[in-house]
Amino acid sequence: MINFAAVMTEEKQDKKDHIIEVAEKLFSEMGFDGASTRHIAQDANVNMAMLNYYFGGKEGLYLAVFEKRFSASKLQLQSLNNENISSFEKINKCIESYADKMMANSCFQKIIYREMSLSQRSSVTDKIIQMLSENTSEIKKILLDGIANGSFENVDVEMLIATMFGTKSYLINSSQMASFLIGKDTTDPKILNEEVKPRLKDHMKKMFKAYLTKHNEEN
Amino acid sequence: MINFAAVMTEEKQDKKDHIIEVAEKLFSEMGFDGASTRHIAQDANVNMAMLNYYFGGKEGLYLAVFEKRFSASKLQLQSLNNENISSFEKINKCIESYADKMMANSCFQKIIYREMSLSQRSSVTDKIIQMLSENTSEIKKILLDGIANGSFENVDVEMLIATMFGTKSYLINSSQMASFLIGKDTTDPKILNEEVKPRLKDHMKKMFKAYLTKHNEEN
DNA sequence: AATGATTAATCAATCGTTTGATTAATTTTG
DNA sequence: CAAAATTAATCAAACGATTGATTAATCATT
């Protein structure tokens, strides 16, 4: 009976988390405006007023979705720049970890990239940019270092980063087009993880290697 | 006075086109749900009822945006497969034309990729997939032909296509992130056309060449 | 005068949010 | 420990605002 309060808190947290999970799914599927609070409350099996009670409103719930993902993201943030491995190995690790990360929460990725495509700046937008810019800066440094130490060909770093994130976000965000391209339902987590992800990783590694490797051509 | 009716029709058409242009811009900036009919009407300097008078409703206006772009797209549709040029030249032409096409109507591209990311299938979705699948099939054929005739390395064709469209859509759709990456406002058409586009083209051509060229490595 | 174009006013529906009341849980008090 | 007091959680109902859509009246053109 000692931990009764703790148990209750945990249950409450579970309930809040459940609402957040349902909201994330619906936001990703229908967009912020498209997902009504009634719909979210219904899918989460809670009274509509609970959304405002817990999160202060729709926008607060939206922010809670981000808060949860951001805090979870920071835990596994680890710089590759200090490790004593080759530039190629760093890039490969980057490709691996970002692919894992994005495929693991594809719903959230959809929300992020949809938010980025909207021209309306909000409190969310800045947070997103801040988070993504960390990732961007990390890979940018790896690429620039690799070029500087002679491991990599002198390529357009920014465009290559666009390729890295663009390829991944295309497979996740343009899911309906990706499904047509692959010939299978890429919204199915099983297919996404067992087929798309390994193919994506393999493709990216090979392409980056081919593109970044110096060929000593004199034309 | 003979062509007066025609002139009127033309003026009306101009008005309709103007509404469509304004709608396209707002839809791309705020999404379908985010852009209200009142806002569109106000920006287009027309009475709100005119939207329903001309297009039958908001959805009809949305469809009109697609109709206009689709019809314009079909005019410049030309297969590269019949031309008697090398596979590398075909790919390069593909890269060029798609970059030109996407950068020319970046607003529409935003709408398309946002629509693709939503899980709700609609009458629009099928049209989009149909249009994009034509492009996809075209480049797929070029790649497969190139591999078959020995010009290209045997790569993962579907993933490479994801890279091609993903890189471009990243620069256009994730405009806020792209702006951070490039260090300039990529929503500015001038920067988009004079800086981003040539860099994108150059990058894609070089990377595709490096990746697709056979290196005869025996490891 | 008649047809089509345009407007202001209005419609029902839905939105996110708030309310007041009720129940459940926790703390305080005697 | 038990009763009272307080806090937290939950609910149905309703709120005002906004949505897309429609109406009926007015204007313009032939």
Side-chain angles (χ1 to χ4, degrees), chain B residues 4 36-38 48 52 58:
Chain B
F4 199 69
S36 72
T37 53
R38 281 172 176 79
M48 208 179 47
N52 300 285
K58 188 182 186 180

Side-chain angles (χ1 to χ4, degrees), chain A residues 6 23 33 48 95 103 155 171 190-192 194 198 202:
Chain A
D33 295 308
M48 210 172 37
I95 291 172
M103 297 286 184
V155 301
L171 290 172
K190 185 176 166 70
I191 291 180
L192 197 64
E194 296 181 8
D202 195 55

